[in-house]
Amino acid sequence: MGNLVSRISLLHLLLLVGLFLTLSGEVASLGINYGQVGNNLPPPDRVLDLLRSLKLTKARIYDTNPQILTAFANSNIELIVTVENQMLPILMDPNQAFQWVHTHIRPYFPATRITGIAIGNEVFTGGDTALISYLVPAMVNIHAALVRFGLDRFIQVSTPSSLAVLQESFPPSAGCFRPELNRIMPQFLRFLAATKAPFWINAYPYFAYKDDPSSISLDYVLFNPNSGVVDPYTNLHYDNMLYAQVDAVTFAMARMGYGGIEVRVSETGWPSRGDPDEIGSTVENAAIYNGNLLRRQLKDEGTPLRPNRRLEVYVFALFNEDMKPGPTSERNYGLLQPDGTMVYNCGLFELASTSSTSSLISNVTRVKT
């Protein structure tokens, strides 16, 4: 893969992206997942410089790392922080939840623009029934603590869920939750509706393609031009799988009487490398998926079901993380290597508003194959 990796330095990356964004402005609906499961990642202050130069104004982290919260103070970055899964039973106690907010949120806000607290990650599909039972009470207690501090107007509380919470996802209008969640899901949705918080979904069309490449169109999952599919019950046309997955979640919530809750994509991405059985995990596909997604985000698109509501998306991930367990793909979702070089050119630079600038940047940053 070495000859596929760009040799552009971090400095060049920052200068060129800055030039692009001077012309085209910020992508208000785009965020980035900043994971830290690596032993060679740059320090938070350098990451902040990177995000600023990219004009990215939204990021999500998977803990409440005080170094990151401190480094991000007085920046323009809106930050989602995370309560780790193992903390959920402790937060069943309202006093412990208050103490958690007092320790992990209050000292940093408002200098650090914390806008969301993710209570756990993919709890509904983790197979731990006890943990699932702790989730909503922990969310209620964290929100109550925010109310006591007067922070509930600024910070939303939700939990990111895997798409596996759905029993059916296609066609989108058939979307429904897994039957084993029928008791807990209404409680969760009631909380989201009452607090005006979003349903966060981790949606990866890559997984669907990997599991069934002979039946699923690669162009459809990569946002490439294709004939798409039509939902036979709504007649809505879908030209990509991500939007279909998002609308399936909306239909599933509507079946429970909560169709007005906003869906946001807390994770999506494509691995640039994988094991032999991880079909589709290539540099080329990763560049196409994320590049086409960025183009969609620049247009502030909504889904076919909600075309006038801009879909907020957080790309996974900023860096390749060398200490993540699991298959090879898990360590290869990053847009950047830890040293700041691009893993691939996802076409961000070609989006410049003038053809001459686009050509210049494209020539400088083109990945050699």
Side-chain angles (χ1 to χ4, degrees), residues 215-227:
S215 301
I216 296 176
S217 164
L218 182 61
D219 285 332
Y220 179 63
V221 296
L222 291 178
F223 296 93
N224 277 337
N226 68 97
S227 59

Side-chain angles (χ1 to χ4, degrees), residues 10 32 42 59 99 109 113 164 190 236 245 250 255 285 293 351:
L10 177 59
I32 194 78
Q99 186 60 43
F109 187 92
R113 296 182 62 191
R190 191 178 307 120
L236 293 173
Q245 292 175 335
T250 300
R255 279 188 161 77
N285 287 341
L293 176 60
L351 297 175

Side-chain angles (χ1 to χ4, degrees), residues 134-305:
Y134 302 147
L135 179 60
V136 174
M139 296 176 70
V140 169
N141 289 340
I142 288 292
H143 181 263
L146 291 173
V147 170
R148 291 177 64 182
F149 282 110
L151 302 180
D152 57 300
R153 293 176 298 155
F154 310 103
I155 301 175
Q156 295 177 314
V157 177
S158 188
T159 188
S161 294
S162 161
L163 195 73
V165 294
L166 297 183
Q167 179 73 15
E168 299 289 342
S169 62
F170 187 82
S173 61
C176 60
F177 292 110
R178 292 166 55 175
E180 59 266 34
L181 299 175
N182 282 346
R183 291 189 63 185
I184 185 66
M185 193 58 68
Q187 301 172 38
F188 171 58
L189 298 178
R190 191 178 307 120
F191 171 84
L192 296 184
T195 61
K196 297 181 172 56
F199 190 110
W200 283 327
I201 190 72
N202 296 342
Y204 288 87
Y206 160 72
F207 291 135
Y209 177 75
K210 176 181 72 73
D211 292 341
D212 194 7
S214 62
S215 301
I216 296 176
S217 164
L218 182 61
D219 285 332
Y220 179 63
V221 296
L222 291 178
F223 296 93
N224 277 337
N226 68 97
S227 59
V229 298
V230 175
D231 188 313
Y233 302 102
T234 63
N235 287 323
L236 293 173
H237 178 263
Y238 291 87
D239 65 359
N240 70 85
M241 182 177 283
L242 180 66
Y243 288 4
Q245 292 175 335
V246 169
D247 281 354
V249 174
T250 300
F251 276 108
M253 293 192 295
R255 279 188 161 77
M256 291 189 164
Y258 294 95
I261 295 172
E262 181 181 1
V263 179
R264 298 178 186 172
V265 179
S266 41
E267 287 183 18
T268 193
W270 197 285
S272 60
R273 184 182 177 191
D275 294 322
D277 63 342
E278 295 187 289
I279 297 172
S281 55
T282 67
V283 168
E284 180 183 14
N285 287 341
I288 293 171
Y289 181 83
N290 284 316
N292 284 337
L293 176 60
L294 285 167
R295 288 174 175 82
R296 299 288 183 124
Q297 291 300 105
L298 278 171
K299 297 176 183 178
D300 286 338
E301 282 190 349
T303 67
L305 182 61

Side-chain angles (χ1 to χ4, degrees), residues 31-36 51 58-63 68 72 77-82 116 118 120-122 159-161 200-202 204 265-268 314-316 318:
I32 194 78
N33 283 279
Y34 169 18
Q36 305 154 59
L51 295 180
K58 294 180 172 70
R60 174 186 171 214
I61 60 175
Y62 293 83
D63 53 19
I68 295 176
F72 279 40
I77 306 298
E78 297 179 10
L79 196 62
I80 296 173
V81 301
T82 302
N121 188 50
E122 300 190 349
T159 188
S161 294
W200 283 327
I201 190 72
N202 296 342
Y204 288 87
V265 179
S266 41
E267 287 183 18
T268 193
Y314 282 70
V315 172
F316 188 87
L318 185 58

